Amino acid sequence: MDQEDRIALFLDYENLALGVRDHHGGRAFDLRPIADALAERGRVVVRRAYADWSYFDEDRRMLTRSHVELIEIPQRMGASRKNAADIKMAVDAVELAFEREYISTFVIGTGDSDFTPLVHKLRELNKRVIGVGVENSTSALLPPACDEFLFYDRLEGVEVPPAAGRRGRAARPVGTVAPPPAERPAEPTVETAPAAEEPARDVDTLSVLVAQTVAGMQGSSSGEVTASGLKRTLLRKDPTFSESDYGFRTFGELLRHLAGHNVIELAAGPAKGDPEVSLPERGDREVAFALLRSVVVDLAGEGGAAALSGLKDQLRRARPDFSEKKLGYRSFLQFCKAAATSGAVELRWSTEAEDYLLTPQTA
């Protein structure tokens, strides 16, 4: 545990909640996707949210259940409530940076560029800063100032209405191609699926959860993923997690089972009994890439192209057990991008079709 990052989470709640409601069809803000993303990055030891809570009565219950400390910034006559919340949050973050040296990472949840000086100051104090904001309400100035920026819209578990932001979307401030909302499959996350659709936990659900978690840990850390680190991360995502719920006596037995089914690979770790866990470099992924290419060939024909929308359903008709999440990909688009990188297909964005188009890779 001594090697884990200690994280302090600060939420400019009004900015996030109103951003979600304005750009996600009136849906309420959900903390769980952010909590899961941070669980893959370290141990959250401080959770604070700033707002005039008389405006967010329902949200208070959700945050309280997630053990978030609610900082009240009441509206006053002749005063700017928003500025008061911003200043209080900035002062508290800097104060905590000086008082708690063991906190290595600060997460600033906002899309407001007014917090850019706070980000710069925290980085001057040798703190890693992760920003979180709603894509269409985040200033272009904020993401480049952070060490890492997570768009709420793209986090695992966030469902974006298909028509939201379809036209007139601003360019992503971090310099990469902005994916349209249609590419984000509106399907339940691993954590919520059992409660919503499945009466009991099963090993197939578990394989998706483990593959996603290992992929997230590999993407957010330069070191190896150990069995003990993986178990801690699973417990941070779901404190009720237990391998016994899936019929395994120990966590090691569970890992060996998943390794036998080519979900993960195990290798000797830094300590006896704590193996290194990774996703398979070959095997099922190459089979899945080949499947994708064959379906694209069937749909596109000679010189044609297949649209990303609906393509996943075509793959499942050919192979009902297909799931990009079992392979460690967080979305079908990410899987297609990996297939394009491997040379199985070509992938490009079409402004006319307002969708990604796939064609068989030519020699």
Side-chain angles (χ1 to χ4, degrees), residues 28-105:
F29 172 81
D30 184 8
L31 181 66
R32 184 59 185 267
I34 295 177
D36 282 352
L38 298 183
E40 295 171 352
R41 289 160 171 79
R43 179 174 169 230
V44 181
V45 296
V46 174
R47 299 176 179 88
R48 295 180 186 174
Y50 297 73
D52 183 341
W53 296 108
S54 62
Y55 290 85
F56 302 100
D57 191 53
E58 291 299 321
D59 304 59
R60 291 170 60 178
R61 297 183 179 90
M62 178 270 293
L63 293 169
T64 300
R65 287 194 296 268
S66 299
H67 310 286
V68 176
E69 180 183 0
L70 306 183
I71 308 299
E72 179 73 37
I73 308 293
Q75 186 172 10
R76 298 179 177 88
M77 291 295 293
S80 173
R81 171 173 50 87
K82 183 182 184 306
N83 286 345
D86 291 357
I87 294 170
K88 173 64 173 171
M89 181 169 145
V91 169
D92 286 356
V94 173
E95 181 180 44
L96 195 68
F98 280 104
E99 291 184 347
R100 303 288 187 268
E101 292 185 0
Y102 58 81
I103 295 179
S104 57
T105 301

Side-chain angles (χ1 to χ4, degrees), residues 224-262:
E224 69 277 358
V225 177
T226 62
S228 58
L230 174 60
K231 177 67 177 288
R232 286 195 298 268
T233 301
L234 292 172
L235 286 171
R236 282 195 291 258
K237 285 188 170 184
D238 178 9
T240 68
F241 172 81
S242 173
E243 57 272 7
S244 63
D245 291 340
Y246 301 90
F248 299 98
R249 295 169 296 179
T250 65
F251 190 64
E253 182 180 333
L254 182 154
L255 293 180
R256 289 191 292 273
H257 172 85
L258 295 180
H261 286 75
N262 205 34

Side-chain angles (χ1 to χ4, degrees), residues 8-329:
L9 172 63
F10 287 81
L11 300 175
D12 176 12
Y13 195 77
E14 182 174 347
N15 182 280
L16 291 175
L18 296 183
V20 171
R21 292 175 189 179
D22 290 346
H23 300 289
H24 289 202
R27 298 185 183 185
F29 172 81
D30 184 8
L31 181 66
R32 184 59 185 267
I34 295 177
D36 282 352
L38 298 183
E40 295 171 352
R41 289 160 171 79
R43 179 174 169 230
V44 181
V45 296
V46 174
R47 299 176 179 88
R48 295 180 186 174
Y50 297 73
D52 183 341
W53 296 108
S54 62
Y55 290 85
F56 302 100
D57 191 53
E58 291 299 321
D59 304 59
R60 291 170 60 178
R61 297 183 179 90
M62 178 270 293
L63 293 169
T64 300
R65 287 194 296 268
S66 299
H67 310 286
V68 176
E69 180 183 0
L70 306 183
I71 308 299
E72 179 73 37
I73 308 293
Q75 186 172 10
R76 298 179 177 88
M77 291 295 293
S80 173
R81 171 173 50 87
K82 183 182 184 306
N83 286 345
D86 291 357
I87 294 170
K88 173 64 173 171
M89 181 169 145
V91 169
D92 286 356
V94 173
E95 181 180 44
L96 195 68
F98 280 104
E99 291 184 347
R100 303 288 187 268
E101 292 185 0
Y102 58 81
I103 295 179
S104 57
T105 301
F106 281 74
V107 179
I108 308 299
T110 185
D112 192 343
S113 62
D114 289 349
F115 284 98
T116 304
L118 170 62
V119 173
H120 290 158
K121 179 57 64 177
L122 290 172
R123 296 185 69 183
E124 285 179 20
L125 295 173
N126 198 30
K127 305 298 183 182
R128 184 168 183 259
V129 180
I130 300 175
V132 181
V134 179
E135 187 170 357
N136 281 340
S137 62
T138 294
S139 167
L141 299 175
L142 187 61
C146 302
D147 292 294
E148 181 179 5
F149 197 92
L150 307 175
F151 282 112
Y152 174 84
D153 320 58
R154 302 174 191 173
L155 295 177
E156 185 72 20
V158 176
E159 297 183 9
V160 180
R166 199 63 176 170
R167 299 182 185 275
R169 178 186 292 272
R172 284 183 63 189
V174 291
T176 54
V177 178
E183 78 188 40
R184 304 182 190 101
E187 55 188 50
T189 62
V190 176
E191 292 74 33
T192 58
E197 298 180 353
E198 301 174 6
R201 297 178 177 182
D202 57 69
V203 178
D204 190 56
T205 300
L206 176 65
S207 66
V208 173
L209 173 61
V210 171
Q212 285 183 326
T213 304
V214 172
M217 294 175 70
Q218 287 180 330
S220 62
S221 173
S222 57
E224 69 277 358
V225 177
T226 62
S228 58
L230 174 60
K231 177 67 177 288
R232 286 195 298 268
T233 301
L234 292 172
L235 286 171
R236 282 195 291 258
K237 285 188 170 184
D238 178 9
T240 68
F241 172 81
S242 173
E243 57 272 7
S244 63
D245 291 340
Y246 301 90
F248 299 98
R249 295 169 296 179
T250 65
F251 190 64
E253 182 180 333
L254 182 154
L255 293 180
R256 289 191 292 273
H257 172 85
L258 295 180
H261 286 75
N262 205 34
V263 175
I264 58 172
E265 290 181 349
L266 298 177
K272 184 178 180 181
D274 191 15
E276 181 180 340
V277 185
S278 62
L279 296 175
E281 293 297 326
R282 303 192 63 81
D284 283 357
R285 284 197 289 182
E286 278 61 38
V287 173
F289 291 162
L291 172 66
L292 174 65
R293 188 182 190 284
S294 67
V295 170
V296 168
V297 169
D298 291 341
L299 294 175
E302 185 67 27
L308 181 71
S309 301
L311 185 58
K312 184 175 179 178
D313 291 335
Q314 298 296 328
L315 263 69
R316 283 181 167 169
R317 288 191 180 97
R319 181 177 167 183
D321 64 340
F322 171 80
S323 171
E324 75 280 359
K325 292 181 172 60
K326 288 183 181 179
L327 302 171
Y329 299 105

